[in-house]
Amino acid sequence: MTQSTSTGDKSATERTSADDRDPLFARIPRRDFVKAGAAAGAMGSLAGCTGLLDSDGDTQAAADVDASVPPGELDDYYAFLSGGHSGDIRVYGVPSMRQIMRIPVFNVESARGYGFDDETHEMLQEAGGYTWGDTHHPRPSQTDNQYDGEWLFVNDKANGRMARIDLKYFETDAIIDLPNHQGTHGACMLMPDSRYVFGVGELRVPIPNDGRDLDDPSEYGSTLSAMSPDPFDHEWDVRVDCNLDNGDSGKEGEWFFTTSYNSEEGVTESEMTAADTDYVVAFNVPRIEDAVEAGEYDEVNGVPVVDGSEDSPLNDGDEPLVRYIDVPTNPHGVSVTPDGQYAIASGKLDPTCTIIEIGQLNEVGDPNDAVVGRVNVGNGPLHTAYDGRGHAYTTLFVDSQVVKWDIEAAVDAEMGSEDPVIEKHDVHYSPGHLIAAESYTGDPQGDWLIVLNKLSKDRFLPVGPVFPENDQLFYIGDDDAGMELVKDTPTYPEPHDASIVRADRLDPASVYDPDDLELDFISPSDEDNFIERDGDQVHVEMYNQRNHFGFSDITVQEGDEVTIRSTNIEQEEDILHSLAIPEHDVNVKLAPQETREVTFTADEPGVYWIYCAYFCSALHLEMRSRLLVEPAD
Ligand code: RUQ
Ligand code: CUA
Ligand code: CA
């Protein structure tokens, strides 16, 4: 690692010099947090300015941004944070940073009955049957480069999958197992209209991975997988020889970018860091579609796989499928500026960010000519976000800082210059991703920024050797005052990336629309409620409401396979019931107007209470029926 850079002409707030700080344990001066002025009326507005710079560039008279959201008030934004190896998505309000909901994706989750009813259980089984996943990159769908409130897509870095979450119900409704991936890392859609969902395969393996080329890493490869958003189907893969890491889309429906840190095709750390350069890999999507259309692919594991490797014949000629752009060794994040002009790759092992002018990629010739800038930002740059005012914000993992820099100044400056840097701000500690409000769209809002720190160290009460992470909220709306740290938020391990969406872009349902569900609604009428036997299979249909189930008891025989389908007929929002059966691992949540079905084997004779686990009324504990399992013979 090189030395930390100094800052540019504007000095940083809360800055310490490179010499007196341990990079993984920065100390910052404590400041008095003074709430200035009365509470802001409209949430998200400022209650005071964030500090002025005196002639020496030191912060003075810091009065702080009010990011509080008083009881009874709502946030301006939804933030969708990945839960990392918890396998879920967390929904936060911004600026309060209150955790509003969790959405289970690759994990079984009892409070939402996810993985317990037949539909979600089968969905997880068909997607490999793994008990966990590692969510990293939650990306809401867009139309015309704006969030459209339809879907959220997220990768599974652990098991090579992509999932779709329906933002009407905040529920995972589809998962695709990507057979040619061992670990899907980057995730993003093709912009402007989410025509494809892309999953970026990180770990090089033989393709197919069926025992061939076991110890011949030169034969391994990675693929970029393309899925259609709705229906959520796997369409094709493009194979490359190097590995692929993070990904982001251009804004014009043509280019998709990933980083690669293993152009060496190595299998050890020293091999993977041997070369001076690696790649930003630029995929020309219309060209790939042409190749698929023309049948220029091999089918592997049922998926058309187009050869995009450097020596592929499809990369000869004027319009190569895939372009390989040299960047300093072992880059990490890549993100496209809101205007669609540049793809910016963060250096990780190199203290720079490389700026690629996307329009230049369409010119024939050396794709390295599209590199139009390289700014020296500091140590361990990982990810970059945007405020829509021409600034980039890059996390520095090693320096435990966020650096704000000027994109056009970086294009104009000499390669490797520090001059475009505007400000550096300490964070606590070792940040991975950061995300500004609507940064991934064509129209960032430019007010809030969340920095997802991997380490929290001394920021919260100690809770034993597993520490929470620390998601820090910054106000970035005042370029004169600089970045303002307004909140620390402990989070359960381990969020990676987030998307922040204006609240008015979403329109979630508060009760189910029975027409959206595959199972028929069960009303209280006699015809709708029945217990039917077919051999040793028993099928039960019954409604439920405050404070009872359709049947007060259900009698079956030992060994029967029992299916219970039930509808919560409540029309009042927020009145949930559930159907839990002790000792049968049954736990189905039923929101208002929701119908779910669960199948289990009644394998032990006895009395089993069917009870409701959601506190639904004063008589919630009395809301129960009996499952009577008669002994066989
Ligand atoms: S990538 S910070 Cu998926 Cu950096 Cu995690
Ligand atoms: Cu229904 Cu508790
Ligand atoms: Ca490398």
Side-chain angles (χ1 to χ4, degrees), residues 409-485:
V411 172
D412 294 342
E414 276 176 38
M415 292 280 178
S417 168
E418 297 172 8
D419 291 344
V421 170
I422 297 167
E423 179 188 358
K424 291 186 176 185
H425 201 301
D426 287 347
V427 297
H428 313 88
Y429 304 90
S430 300
H433 262 274
L434 79 179
I435 185 68
E438 307 209 330
S439 175
Y440 291 131
T441 73
D443 188 20
Q445 302 291 302
D447 47 5
W448 301 108
L449 174 83
I450 299 175
V451 181
L452 292 85
N453 296 287
K454 301 296 188 193
L455 309 182
S456 64
K457 293 189 176 278
D458 57 354
R459 302 294 277 194
F460 306 109
L461 285 174
V463 287
V466 177
F467 285 57
E469 324 249 305
N470 185 13
D471 294 346
Q472 292 188 300
L473 180 72
F474 282 83
Y475 183 72
I476 56 167
D478 186 338
D479 289 328
D480 294 329
M483 301 173 62
E484 182 76 4
L485 172 61

Side-chain angles (χ1 to χ4, degrees), residues 136-137 185 246 332 383 432-433 454 496:
H136 275 218
H137 304 284
H185 189 197
N246 277 282
H332 186 55
H383 292 284
H433 262 274
K454 301 296 188 193
H496 278 256

Side-chain angles (χ1 to χ4, degrees), residues 246-258:
N246 277 282
D248 199 18
S249 170
K251 306 287 191 201
E252 303 288 342
E254 186 171 15
W255 293 98
F256 188 80
F257 300 91
T258 77

